[in-house]
């Protein structure tokens, strides 16, 4: 005999809503955590000047060749002298005669590498912008290409030797850079090579990729 089986109505609303409800909760928790992490990261970047500057550079909001000094840090320019000329050094050499306000004056950066063949260098040249306008900085070595970056109270200059140049380049009181200045005010000013500033430093790199940190020297310029 046939048995009539009856089935109750499927509670479709309950079957559909229970599992999606849990998925919805997990999804909202995940989205909330992501938003909080993004907000925390943004706060850290905005409150850290270095991270903020890097982010602006990455987004092309600032020129990477110009360093923004958020703290308006003053750089004290002081005279330095070469103590031992038998080991590597870099110094400024200026004319002994007085310069005149508004007229160009030229100084040179000389270097000594202690017999090493130099293929690159980084030089930090301290120049007070309140006393001197920098007209231009050029390489005195035809086999070296340079890039100069204005940091405000100093200029960071990187020189790289042409790969096609085969002859060794040994600095022996050799003029490396030519710096043309225009005095703004009268008095006595100093142009100096800085050993370090922040994460930048003056250094010579030889053909064996050995880095040398040379002694540094300054020169005074009298302006009438």
């Amino acid at each position: 005999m046939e048995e009539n089986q009856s089935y109750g109505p499927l509670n479709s609303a309950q079957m559909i809503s229970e599992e999606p409800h849990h998925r919805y909760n997990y999804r909202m928790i995940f989205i909330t955590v992501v938003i909080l992490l993004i907000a925390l990261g943004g706060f850290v970047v905005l409150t850290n000047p270095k991270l903020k500057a890097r982010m602006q550079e990455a987004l092309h909001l600032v020129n990477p060749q110009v360093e923004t000094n958020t703290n308006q840090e003053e750089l004290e320019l002081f005279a330095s002298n070469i103590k031992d000329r038998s080991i590597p050094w870099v110094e400024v050499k200026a004319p002994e005669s007085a310069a005149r306000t508004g007229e160009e004056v030229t100084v040179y950066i000389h270097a000594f590498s202690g017999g090493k063949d130099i293929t690159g260098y980084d030089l930090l040249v301290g120049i007070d912008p309140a006393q001197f306008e920098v007209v231009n900085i050029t390489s005195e070595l035809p086999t070296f290409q340079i890039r100069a970056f204005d940091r405000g109270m100093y200029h960071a200059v990187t020189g790289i030797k042409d790969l096609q140049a085969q002859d060794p380049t040994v600095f022996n009181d050799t003029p490396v850079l030519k710096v043309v200045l225009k005095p703004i005010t009268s008095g006595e000013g100093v142009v100096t090579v800085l050993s370090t500033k922040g994460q930048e430093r003056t250094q010579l790199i030889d053909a064996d990729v050995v880095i040398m940190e040379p002694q540094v020297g300054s020169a005074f310029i009298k302006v009438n």
Side-chain angles (χ1 to χ4, degrees):
M1 184 173 73
E2 255 181 56
E3 292 184 4
N4 291 328
Q5 295 182 356
S6 60
Y7 300 91
L10 294 176
N11 192 345
S12 58
Q14 183 178 1
M15 293 177 64
I16 294 174
S17 64
E18 284 184 357
E19 189 173 353
H21 179 71
H22 292 297
R23 291 180 179 176
Y24 176 80
N25 287 340
Y26 293 145
R27 188 162 56 248
M28 289 303 297
I29 292 172
F30 176 78
I31 292 173
T32 302
V33 171
V34 170
I35 292 174
L36 289 175
L37 289 175
I38 293 173
L40 180 61
F43 176 79
V44 171
V45 170
L46 291 175
T47 54
N48 189 309
K50 291 185 178 179
L51 291 178
K52 183 177 179 181
R54 289 179 183 175
M55 180 64 71
Q56 289 176 331
E57 180 178 334
L59 296 175
H60 304 290
L61 298 177
V62 296
N63 187 343
Q65 295 187 3
V66 180
E67 182 178 276
T68 303
N69 192 345
T70 55
N71 296 325
Q72 297 299 315
E73 182 181 5
E74 292 294 331
L75 175 67
E76 181 182 358
L77 299 180
F78 55 90
S80 300
N81 295 314
I82 307 301
K83 296 180 179 179
D84 185 352
R85 291 192 174 271
S86 66
I87 59 178
W89 52 261
V90 179
E91 72 174 343
V92 182
K93 294 194 176 183
E96 295 181 359
S97 57
R100 293 182 178 275
T101 304
E103 296 182 3
E104 293 183 358
V105 57
T106 301
V107 301
Y108 293 90
I109 312 298
H110 285 232
F112 173 74
S113 63
K116 298 294 185 179
D117 176 17
I118 301 301
T119 58
Y121 60 77
D122 293 303
L123 303 180
L124 309 181
V125 185
I127 303 169
D128 187 351
Q131 190 158 21
F132 297 104
E133 173 192 347
V134 178
V135 178
N136 59 56
I137 300 176
T138 55
S139 175
E140 280 292 281
L141 301 172
T143 56
F144 276 72
Q145 300 295 321
I146 68 167
R147 294 183 67 190
F149 304 91
D150 185 354
R151 306 299 199 208
M153 291 292 287
Y154 71 100
H155 285 67
V157 184
T158 296
I160 301 176
K161 188 176 181 180
D162 189 345
L163 294 176
Q164 303 300 320
Q166 300 298 321
D167 294 335
T169 304
V170 178
F171 296 161
N172 187 17
D173 197 3
T174 304
V176 176
L177 293 178
K178 175 182 177 181
V179 183
V180 179
L181 305 172
K182 183 179 290 185
I184 298 173
T185 60
S186 59
E188 189 175 54
V190 62
V191 179
T192 186
V193 179
L194 304 170
S195 294
T196 61
K197 186 65 181 75
Q199 296 182 348
E200 296 182 299
R201 66 180 60 251
T202 289
Q203 57 189 10
L204 305 176
I205 301 96
D206 70 12
D208 296 320
V209 199
V210 175
I211 296 175
M212 296 175 282
E213 296 183 10
Q215 304 169 85
V216 296
S218 309
F220 287 95
I221 303 176
K222 185 176 181 180
V223 180
N224 293 330

